[in-house]
Amino acid sequence: MLDVHRLRIFRSVVASGSVQAAAANLGYTPSAVSQHLTALQRETGLALFARAGRGMRPTAAGHALAAEADRLLARVGEAESLIADLRAGRTGVLTIAYFASVGAAWMPYVVRRIGTELPGVRLNLELREEIPSTREERADLQVVVAPRGFEPGSGFTAHHLVDDPYVAVLPAGHRFADQQEVELAALAEERWVDNDFARGWCRANLIEACTAAGFTPTFGVEAHDYPTALAFVEAGIGPTVLPALGAVRLPDGVTRVGLLRPTPVRSIHLVIHDAVEHTPAVRIAIAALRQVAAGPVQ
């Protein structure tokens, strides 16, 4: 078992460049620092330093351990911060990951709700389109787009929030601008504005719906995100088709029209880390997300 205190001293020696400098920085004697280094090398069975003239330098193994120690000590620091929060009466840190259109439409309300009910909670918000492959990278809560019934991985639970239908956003004067709904195939001859540069699941879902309607859309302009695509629509360049959540705030002069036969739909889910599911901050976040997903809130 590695001693975290010895790892800190070891990193100080590597960063400071010598035992004497590390001892001065840490407030220890050079002899005490040397003893800790000797014990660490005995624990690991590795030669972590090599003589270099009258000094010493890290070996290749020493450099590798220093890099890993940085990651480990960062995690220890996070744990120590959590303990300090709990001792001070705060309720710790909550990490929420979400995709772009949720950020504008939902997250302001969610953050305000948590901040009002639990002002001591520190929120870390992360913009992520995909679920990370490793558990260590994953947030406490993540709002994701995924097929119904998908498996979020061991230690996590997925809850369906809402199905988000796609809509067409049309420029002023478009022939369908005065209609409430239009068949998807009616837009087959248009030159569309693409709004998903990443070619993610949402775009694949749209292309699948177009295939079901018997056509492949022609994209005249490729935009990197929904706001840019909507700006192109406002300029009269062409229509765009996107999930309704991405069309909550529209530029002046454009029209949102529902789609029929078929109506593309994306499913939005909340993935929760099982270890924190019953904490107060997570319960409030879940309630806020369910409320805002159900409809507009003040």
Side-chain angles (χ1 to χ4, degrees):
M1 180 73 69
L2 289 176
D3 185 299
V4 172
H5 180 59
R6 286 183 184 139
L7 280 178
R8 291 190 191 279
I9 294 174
F10 163 68
R11 281 301 289 123
S12 179
V13 173
V14 174
S16 303
S18 69
V19 168
Q20 289 75 15
N25 292 334
L26 296 172
Y28 295 166
T29 65
S31 175
V33 171
S34 294
Q35 289 174 17
H36 280 294
L37 292 181
T38 299
L40 181 61
Q41 292 186 114
R42 184 171 61 250
E43 289 174 350
T44 60
L46 298 171
L48 301 176
F49 292 94
R51 290 291 177 186
R54 300 181 64 179
M56 56 194 303
R57 58 175 176 78
T59 62
H63 282 297
L65 180 60
E68 187 61 32
D70 287 340
R71 289 187 284 270
L72 174 61
L73 293 174
R75 297 300 300 273
V76 171
E78 292 172 2
E80 290 173 342
S81 178
L82 173 61
I83 292 169
D85 285 338
L86 295 173
R87 283 177 176 169
R90 297 186 291 267
T91 51
V93 179
L94 178 65
T95 303
I96 305 177
Y98 57 91
F99 55 92
S101 49
V102 161
W106 292 357
M107 292 311 298
Y109 172 76
V110 174
V111 170
R112 185 179 66 186
R113 174 90 176 265
I114 297 171
T116 299
E117 298 190 34
L118 290 175
V121 171
R122 295 188 314 200
L123 292 176
N124 289 341
L125 304 181
E126 302 174 354
L127 184 62
R128 284 183 175 172
E129 297 292 332
E130 305 291 340
I131 298 177
S133 57
T134 62
R135 292 170 60 92
E136 292 75 18
E137 294 180 284
R138 295 174 70 166
D140 298 320
L141 301 176
Q142 184 170 357
V143 185
V144 300
V145 173
R148 278 182 174 268
F150 85 103
E151 175 52 53
S154 176
F156 295 84
T157 302
H159 299 270
H160 178 259
L161 285 175
V162 70
D163 287 329
D164 189 21
Y166 288 56
V167 297
V169 180
L170 310 174
H174 191 278
R175 58 196 174 107
F176 296 133
D178 59 348
Q179 298 190 24
Q180 293 296 315
E181 296 175 319
V182 65
E183 292 190 10
L184 184 60
L187 300 174
E189 302 304 318
E190 305 273 352
R191 289 177 60 82
W192 293 14
V193 175
D194 195 356
N195 53 54
D196 191 348
F197 174 76
R199 302 291 190 270
W201 191 90
C202 292
R203 187 179 191 275
N205 190 38
L206 172 59
I207 297 301
E208 187 71 11
C210 292
T211 300
F215 74 99
T216 300
T218 300
F219 295 105
V221 175
E222 183 178 89
H224 287 232
D225 52 48
Y226 293 162
T228 304
L230 293 174
F232 287 143
V233 176
E234 183 185 21
I237 294 171
T240 194
V241 176
L242 73 169
L245 197 58
V248 170
R249 295 178 176 85
L250 294 177
D252 293 336
V254 305
T255 302
R256 168 176 156 168
V257 176
L259 293 171
L260 297 173
R261 287 188 286 276
T263 302
V265 175
R266 66 176 182 179
S267 292
I268 300 177
H269 305 262
L270 177 61
V271 176
I272 306 170
H273 195 310
D274 293 343
V276 300
E277 183 171 8
H278 299 294
T279 62
V282 170
R283 289 201 302 267
I284 292 171
I286 293 171
L289 283 163
R290 288 194 182 280
Q291 183 177 2
V292 76
V297 294
Q298 299 300 320

